[in-house]
């Protein structure tokens, strides 16, 4: 059994995405040290966290359009070089203004990256297994924070917060090399792909599984925006990320300030729910492709509902063992929901518009990421610096997102043949 070229491409993309998350999440573990050295309170910490998301959100669509126009390979290589420089530069900032500028510019580099990744997935995998491939790569959303938490707990006592950013910036060189060696624009562009693998790709493209769900057959990005399905996914991504990014960004501070854990314990216990989340996200694509074609929203809603209950229990329990069990179950379920949500654009958006279409949907998610840090910072400050109230805000957003998934998404049964219509299967 040969190791397919598509697997090598997938692993290279996964490595790049993993380091992207290591770089962006490092700020969360360093906040207590930055807060002391730069003398900033919760509201300004919210500004620092949101500066990244402003640049990140603004460049989702431009990054997708570039990937559609010039190919995803060039966009990925440029993004890796750009954000690695600004990760390292985070370690030399001298005040609030320079920190905000560096985080914003760092966000631009990472902002053009995701849509190019989805473009690669669309060009290398068929609809038969695209959801599975995407979920495996998207698992970096959970594994990245988990590894970041563990690494920073080890780096910070030895290197300090500034030295830690220098080390993480250097990791981008490895990603740049991997991307240069393995990632091409499409499976047809790679000379190392065997004839057998190309033939398998063509067979999978024509298979019943690949054609069981409709694709939005739109000729342009403007026409794609006329589809209600795209706007539903835009707002689902926005509202759900109020919960997910709030959780990712504020959990270390919550464990330090509310649960009164040491830095070492925060690193370990802060990583556990996201390790479980990575497993859940990895499984989401396979479970969705295998058993939920045409009814994927029920997988999403069920995971969100049960995961939300566990996240609520985490805020109500004082005993460390039970509250971490609740956190780990919440991580598994909520990241499984996130992986399942992102199978929908992989099915709906045509490959030629995958960059701009997925970039638009992810813009909604990153607007949510930008807003959540400002809003949570305000909520905490309004409640006398009670960090527990930030989690109450996240839970409220989760309820709204789950209801929007249930009420706003309508799917065609996988068993039904596609209708000869231009109307989307999801609206």
């Amino acid at each position: 059994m040969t190791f397919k070229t598509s697997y090598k491409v997938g692993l290279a993309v996964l490595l790049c995405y993993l380091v992207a998350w290591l770089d962006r999440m490092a700020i969360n573990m360093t906040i207590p040290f930055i807060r002391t050295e730069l003398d900033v309170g919760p509201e300004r910490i919210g500004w620092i966290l949101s500066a990244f998301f402003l640049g990140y959100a603004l460049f989702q669509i431009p990054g997708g359009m570039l990937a559609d126009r010039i190919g995803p390979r060039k966009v990925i290589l440029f993004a890796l070089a750009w954000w690695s420089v600004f990760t390292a530069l985070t370690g030399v900032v001298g005040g609030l203004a320079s920190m905000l500028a560096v985080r914003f510019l760092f966000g631009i580099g990472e902002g053009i990256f995701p849509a190019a990744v989805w473009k690669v997935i669309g060009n290398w995998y068929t609809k038969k297994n695209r959801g599975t491939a995407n979920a495996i790569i998207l698992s970096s959303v959970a594994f990245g924070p988990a590894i970041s938490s563990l690494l920073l707990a080890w780096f910070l006592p030895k290197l300090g917060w500034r030295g830690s950013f220098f080390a993480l910036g250097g990791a981008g060189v490895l990603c740049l090399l991997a991307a240069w060696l393995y990632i091409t624009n499409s499976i047809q562009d790679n000379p190392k792909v065997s004839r057998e693998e190309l033939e398998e790709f063509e067979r999978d493209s024509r298979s019943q599984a690949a054609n069981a769900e409709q694709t939005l057959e739109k000729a342009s990005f403007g026409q794609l925006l006329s589809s209600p399905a795209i706007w539903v996914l835009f707002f689902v991504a926005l509202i759900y990320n109020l919960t997910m990014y709030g959780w990712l960004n504020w959990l270390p501070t919550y464990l330090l300030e509310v649960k009164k854990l040491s830095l070492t314990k925060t690193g370990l216990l802060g990583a556990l729910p996201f390790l479980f989340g990575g497993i859940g996200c990895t499984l989401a694509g396979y479970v969705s492709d295998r058993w939920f074609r045409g009814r994927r929203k029920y997988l999403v809603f069920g995971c969100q509902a049960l995961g939300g209950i566990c996240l609520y229990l985490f805020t109500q329990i004082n005993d460390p063992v039970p509250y971490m069990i609740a956190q780990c179950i919440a991580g598994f379920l909520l990241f499984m929901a996130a992986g399942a949500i992102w199978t929908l654009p992989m099915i709906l958006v045509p490959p030629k518009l995958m960059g701009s279409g997925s970039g638009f949907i992810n813009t909604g998610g990153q607007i949510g990421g930008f807003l959540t840090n400002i809003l949570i910072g305000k909520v905490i400050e309004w409640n006398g610096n009670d960090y527990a109230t930030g989690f109450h805000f996240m839970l409220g957003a989760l309820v709204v997102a789950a209801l929007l998934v249930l009420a706003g998404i309508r799917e065609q049964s996988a068993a039904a043949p596609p209708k000869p219509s231009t109307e989307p299967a999801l609206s």
Side-chain angles (χ1 to χ4, degrees):
M1 180 179 178
T2 58
F3 196 73
K4 296 179 183 178
T5 305
S6 61
Y7 295 168
K8 297 176 184 177
V9 171
L11 286 174
V13 173
L14 176 60
L15 173 65
C16 293
Y17 228 136
L18 186 62
V19 171
W21 275 92
L22 287 175
D23 289 352
R24 80 174 70 169
M25 297 306 298
I27 195 76
N28 302 325
M29 283 289 287
T30 59
I31 279 174
F33 305 94
I34 293 171
R35 183 178 62 194
T36 300
E37 186 170 332
L38 301 186
D39 190 25
V40 292
E43 182 179 0
R44 285 175 173 78
I45 288 295
W47 295 359
I48 291 172
L49 295 174
S50 291
F52 163 81
F53 286 103
L54 180 60
Y56 193 66
L58 288 175
F59 280 80
Q60 292 291 316
I61 296 174
M65 289 180 168
L66 275 174
D68 286 339
R69 182 176 294 273
I70 68 174
R73 174 181 164 86
K74 291 179 180 178
V75 177
I76 288 172
L77 293 175
F78 177 81
L80 285 166
W82 178 280
W83 94 55
S84 296
V85 168
F86 283 99
T87 297
L89 287 177
T90 306
V92 302
V93 298
L96 179 62
S98 57
M99 176 65 85
L100 292 172
V102 167
R103 293 299 293 176
F104 173 76
L105 292 169
F106 169 63
I108 290 175
E110 288 219 0
I112 65 174
F113 178 72
V117 167
W118 285 312
K119 182 77 172 179
V120 168
I121 294 170
N123 289 344
W124 272 88
Y125 300 92
T126 71
K127 289 203 301 180
K128 179 180 179 181
N129 55 12
R130 195 177 293 159
T132 301
N134 181 64
I136 292 172
I137 292 168
L138 198 63
S139 68
S140 60
V141 173
F143 285 130
I147 297 172
S148 177
S149 183
L150 293 171
L151 278 179
L152 267 295
W154 182 67
F155 278 170
L156 283 169
K158 295 176 173 60
L159 303 177
W161 72 268
R162 294 182 184 275
S164 297
F165 280 107
F166 298 151
L168 290 171
V173 177
L174 296 176
C175 292
L176 194 60
L177 178 62
W180 179 269
L181 290 174
Y182 294 108
I183 297 175
T184 60
N185 290 330
S186 68
I187 191 169
Q188 293 84 2
D189 287 347
N190 194 313
K192 296 180 181 179
V193 176
S194 66
R195 185 182 65 182
E196 291 78 14
E197 188 171 355
L198 276 174
E199 290 174 350
E200 182 182 5
F201 179 87
E202 295 299 329
R203 286 197 304 272
D204 285 350
S205 298
R206 298 188 297 269
S207 68
Q208 182 179 1
N211 293 282
E213 296 165 287
Q214 285 180 293
T215 296
L216 296 169
E217 298 299 337
K218 303 294 184 180
S220 67
F221 178 59
Q223 290 179 0
L224 193 66
L225 293 186
S226 68
S227 303
I230 298 300
W231 285 97
V232 170
L233 288 171
F234 176 93
F235 283 107
V236 168
L238 191 160
I239 298 169
Y240 194 45
N241 270 4
L242 294 175
T243 299
M244 299 304 287
Y245 275 125
W247 188 22
L248 287 167
N249 290 331
W250 290 90
L251 179 60
T253 304
Y254 181 86
L255 292 174
L256 287 167
E257 299 288 344
V258 179
K259 301 298 187 183
K260 304 299 181 184
L261 299 182
S262 67
L263 177 62
T264 301
K265 287 185 178 179
T266 294
L268 176 60
L269 298 184
L272 282 176
F274 300 115
L275 288 172
F276 279 85
I279 297 170
C281 192
T282 301
L283 290 174
Y286 175 78
V287 171
S288 183
D289 280 347
R290 181 69 176 83
W291 290 293
F292 287 89
R293 291 187 189 275
R295 51 183 184 276
R296 299 175 191 265
K297 75 171 183 179
Y298 297 112
L299 175 62
V300 175
F301 178 79
C303 289
Q304 286 178 325
L306 295 174
I309 292 171
C310 293
L311 192 60
Y312 172 75
L313 291 175
F314 164 72
T315 67
Q316 303 300 305
I317 299 171
N318 293 321
D319 190 332
V321 173
Y323 76 57
M324 285 313 301
I325 291 174
Q327 269 280 78
C328 290
I329 297 173
F332 180 87
L333 291 169
L334 293 179
F335 277 100
M336 177 172 274
I341 286 171
W342 273 100
T343 62
L344 291 166
M346 294 296 99
I347 299 300
L348 280 171
V349 179
K352 65 181 179 181
L353 297 174
M354 188 65 73
S356 53
S358 60
F360 175 75
I361 294 167
N362 203 35
T363 298
Q366 304 324 312
I367 290 172
F370 172 74
L371 291 176
T372 191
N373 296 306
I374 294 175
L375 292 173
I376 289 176
K378 281 286 188 184
V379 167
I380 291 171
E381 189 173 45
W382 288 339
N383 288 276
N385 290 340
D386 181 1
Y387 286 86
T389 59
F391 270 77
H392 300 159
F393 173 84
M394 299 173 211
L395 288 164
L398 177 59
V399 170
V400 175
L403 292 175
L404 182 58
V405 166
L406 192 61
I409 294 177
R410 296 192 299 274
E411 295 178 85
Q412 176 181 305
S413 172
K419 297 178 182 178
S421 169
T422 59
E423 291 297 317
L426 174 69
S427 59

